[in-house]
Amino acid sequence: MRDNAWVATSKRILVTGGAGYIGSNTTLQLLDAGYDVVVVDNLSRGHRESVDPARLRVVDLLDTDGLVRVMNENPCDAVIHFAAYIAVGESMKVPEVYFRNNTAGSLSLLTAMLKTGIRNIVFSSTAAVYGMPAHVPISESEPYAPVNAYGESKVMVEKMLDWFDIIHGLRSVCLRYFNAAGADPDCRAGENHEPETHLIPLILKAAQTGNPVTLFGNDYPTPDGTCIRDYIHVSDLARAHISALESLAKGGESKKYNVGTGHGYSVQEVVNAVREVTGRDVPFVFGPRREGDPPLLVADSTRLQHELGWKPVDSDLKRIVETAWQWANR
Ligand code: UFG
């Protein structure tokens, strides 16, 4: 066991970005599992109503002193760090915003952790660190090759975490998410981005309003010509964070894991699934390709399954769409 192992009986977790989509779902699961949670969020993109007010501390990640104050007032065993901007297209227009919020913000958080003696972190990373990978399914040994500033902002944090482990003994688990989708099955939390850019909520909106969704490209080298992605239910993603925490609590080494199902669905198949689940027509038009979209992204997540015993249980596409539809009609 490593000297930074912590006692699993006193489990308070500081969650950054807990007012966001994946952060709010994970916070609920942490509470369900008996953890105590304090959320830090600046509410720039998250939603105040997504967090129990008694748990929320409105602090910007770049405010290191503010973070130190929260950590001193609420001693924590570990941090789960979600807070970040996620819009790939935006990152190619204003990369400075991404490097400031995602990269410099993470550095500020790590600095606060060092000052307060917190030595365990689960970091919200992304398949975007791989860019256009040469091998699919993608394993963790695929090299870093981001093709947008968003992906690069996350690569830089992963690399900082490597150095903080070597130099300060700060242990991390980086979870590289594939396509997060779906909502809490009890409809307590779900996806609510402004503006929304993700496929499933946009298709559901088309089913609700009758206004067509634009599908970006039907001339890709895939069976039906549309892009293939690995959709992972947000509840399965949330469980991966709890598995990662448990591994750190046992004194586990720093690790990087893909979080996906190993199964891809095309954009057209997602449209079909929405039609089936909702019983509604889904008007769509094909538009040009969206810049920077790889044709095929599917995870090899066997490392996570073998080492941490995690497995997806809610990520059947129908279940993803059912829970997202329930959330969209709440
Ligand atoms: N798509 C459409 N029409 C839309 C929106 C999306 O056809 O209106 C297509 C995209 O072209 C893509 C697929 O649906 O082929 C999925 O697109 P999303 O925008 O939902 O998700 P991405 O795969 O682009 O990105 C997601 C996360 C990123 C992360 C990336 C990692 O949103 O944060 O996965 O692979 F970097």
Side-chain angles (χ1 to χ4, degrees), residues 126 128 150 179 198-199 202 214-216 227 229 290 293 297:
T126 170
Y150 164 69
N179 287 62
H198 291 129
L199 181 67
L202 289 173
T214 302
L215 307 184
F216 300 137
C227 286
R229 293 288 180 274
R290 186 172 66 179
D293 270 345
L297 285 177

Side-chain angles (χ1 to χ4, degrees), residues 99-174:
F99 293 120
R100 188 184 314 118
N101 190 59
N102 296 4
T103 312
S106 296
L107 178 57
S108 166
L109 174 68
L110 294 175
T111 305
M113 288 174 66
L114 290 181
K115 287 188 173 177
T116 55
I118 305 177
R119 290 288 185 276
N120 296 280
I121 183 167
V122 180
F123 174 58
S124 184
S125 190
T126 170
V129 302
Y130 300 116
M132 309 263 182
H135 309 98
V136 182
I138 306 163
S139 79
E140 292 85 353
S141 55
E142 198 68 22
Y144 289 131
V147 293
N148 50 61
Y150 164 69
E152 186 72 64
S153 75
K154 294 280 183 171
V155 169
M156 291 165 90
V157 180
E158 288 201 3
K159 289 186 176 177
M160 283 198 290
L161 288 169
D162 291 341
W163 289 108
F164 276 64
D165 185 350
I166 293 166
I167 297 165
H168 294 302
L170 191 149
R171 306 279 181 269
S172 61
V173 175
C174 297

Side-chain angles (χ1 to χ4, degrees), residues 240-312:
H241 293 79
I242 293 178
S243 301
L245 278 181
E246 286 167 355
S247 153
L248 290 170
K250 284 188 214 136
E253 300 292 327
S254 292
K255 286 282 183 178
K256 297 176 177 40
Y257 295 110
N258 290 336
V259 196
T261 67
H263 188 90
Y265 293 99
S266 73
V267 168
Q268 183 70 66
E269 284 174 318
V270 176
V271 169
N272 296 344
V274 170
R275 283 190 171 136
E276 198 187 318
V277 167
T278 64
R280 302 249 183 122
D281 182 32
V282 176
F284 69 84
V285 291
F286 283 116
R289 293 181 177 194
R290 186 172 66 179
E291 204 186 332
D293 270 345
L296 175 64
L297 285 177
V298 175
D300 174 352
S301 59
T302 47
R303 182 189 282 182
L304 180 60
Q305 305 206 17
H306 288 161
E307 294 186 7
L308 300 194
W310 171 89
K311 68 174 193 306

